[in-house]
């Protein structure tokens, strides 16, 4: 299992030229605003306030790069699909994320984060299809599992699997930043993606 010895914020970028250089492998986190992405990042990295969790969804409007163990980057992509964010900002995010996902050669995989309590949104479905069409390895993590009874998980996970066209529900990782469910499994998945296992 990956031991996180060091994790630090390195850069925020809106343009390709602003990305960190050096070619270290990267894993990106994508998800709707308010899906618990920052909480997941903090829990995963074992840092309380590294990724800013805001009460206002849509706060992450840049690509945020976090260096982990000086060996790889975790990249927090802007949350998508939050209606109150100005249309112009939403319009900028599309190309910004597309540029990153298309051009970044060191990108190893995208972790797509969904809220277990809700059926995937149109944006979630579009994101999954887009990643698939570009052949970007993708793993889906369902957050906030502490908010529903464990006996209900499978029912909700089946809804997500069906909407995102995922063949096997066991490919979706249940996760809770509150209780720590899924943290170990996510570490193992990262280890595999990064070839550290």
């Amino acid at each position: 299992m990956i031991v996180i010895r060091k994790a630090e914020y390195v850069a925020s970028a809106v343009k390709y030229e602003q990305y960190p250089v050096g070619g270290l492998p990267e894993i990106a986190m994508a998800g709707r605003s308010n899906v618990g992405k920052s909480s997941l990042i903090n829990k995963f990295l074992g840092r309380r306030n590294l990724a800013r969790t805001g009460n206002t969804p849509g706060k992450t409007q840049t690509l945020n790069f976090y260096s982990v163990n000086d060996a790889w980057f975790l990249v927090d992509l802007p949350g998508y699909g939050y209606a109150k964010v100005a249309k112009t900002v939403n319009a900028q995010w599309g190309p910004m994320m597309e540029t990153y996902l298309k051009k970044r050669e060191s990108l190893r995989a995208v972790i797509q984060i969904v809220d277990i309590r809700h059926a995937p949104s149109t944006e979630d479905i579009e994101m999954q299809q887009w990643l698939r069409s570009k052949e970007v390895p993708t793993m889906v993590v369902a957050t906030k599992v502490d908010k529903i009874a464990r006996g209900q998980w499978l029912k909700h996970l089946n809804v997500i699997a069906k909407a995102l066209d995922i063949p096997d529900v066991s490919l979706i990782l249940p996760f809770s930043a509150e209780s720590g469910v899924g943290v170990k499994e996510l570490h193992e998945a990262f280890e595999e993606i990064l070839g550290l296992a």
Side-chain angles (χ1 to χ4, degrees):
M1 197 168 97
I2 289 181
V3 178
I4 310 289
R5 292 185 308 278
K6 185 178 173 189
E8 57 188 356
Y9 163 81
V10 171
S12 292
V14 289
K15 296 200 290 280
Y16 190 77
E17 304 75 65
Q18 297 167 327
Y19 301 168
V21 294
L24 289 176
E26 294 175 359
I27 296 177
M29 299 279 192
R32 239 177 13 200
S33 299
N34 217 8
V35 78
K37 194 152 49 77
S38 300
S39 302
L40 181 148
I41 290 170
N42 289 331
K43 184 75 177 174
F44 175 77
L45 294 175
R47 302 291 183 274
R48 192 156 287 158
N49 296 312
L50 193 62
R52 288 190 295 277
T53 54
N55 294 331
T56 322
K59 268 277 192 285
T60 309
Q61 297 179 8
T62 53
L63 301 161
N64 293 327
F65 291 81
Y66 299 95
S67 167
V68 184
N69 294 346
D70 296 324
W72 55 278
F73 285 104
L74 189 146
V75 186
D76 186 9
L77 301 176
Y80 50 80
Y82 188 64
K84 285 201 181 122
V85 173
K87 288 254 187 320
T88 50
V89 176
N90 262 332
Q92 289 161 6
W93 285 356
M96 182 164 80
M97 279 171 67
E98 196 164 327
T99 298
Y100 172 76
L101 294 167
K102 249 192 203 156
K103 288 189 169 180
R104 193 61 163 165
E105 285 173 9
S106 46
L107 178 66
R108 295 286 180 269
V110 170
I111 308 298
Q112 186 179 16
I113 303 162
V114 295
D115 184 331
I116 194 166
R117 300 168 301 174
H118 309 296
S121 67
T122 310
E123 289 97 347
D124 289 325
I125 294 165
E126 284 171 356
M127 180 59 130
Q128 177 69 218
Q129 289 170 342
W130 192 88
L131 290 165
R132 211 168 277 168
S133 73
K134 298 285 178 277
E135 298 182 350
V136 177
T138 307
M139 176 183 179
V140 175
V141 174
T143 57
K144 307 195 181 185
V145 298
D146 53 284
K147 305 274 193 261
I148 58 172
R150 196 170 190 130
Q152 297 290 306
W153 288 7
L154 191 58
K155 186 181 88 177
H156 288 266
L157 291 170
N158 275 319
V159 169
I160 294 166
K162 192 164 187 279
L164 297 180
D165 200 17
I166 294 168
D168 187 345
V169 73
S170 69
L171 296 170
I172 303 170
L173 176 66
F175 188 93
S176 166
E178 291 293 316
S179 68
V181 167
V183 173
K184 179 173 171 283
E185 290 78 3
L186 195 56
H187 277 128
E188 286 165 357
F190 270 60
E191 199 169 48
E192 204 171 301
I193 292 164
L194 294 164
L196 304 171

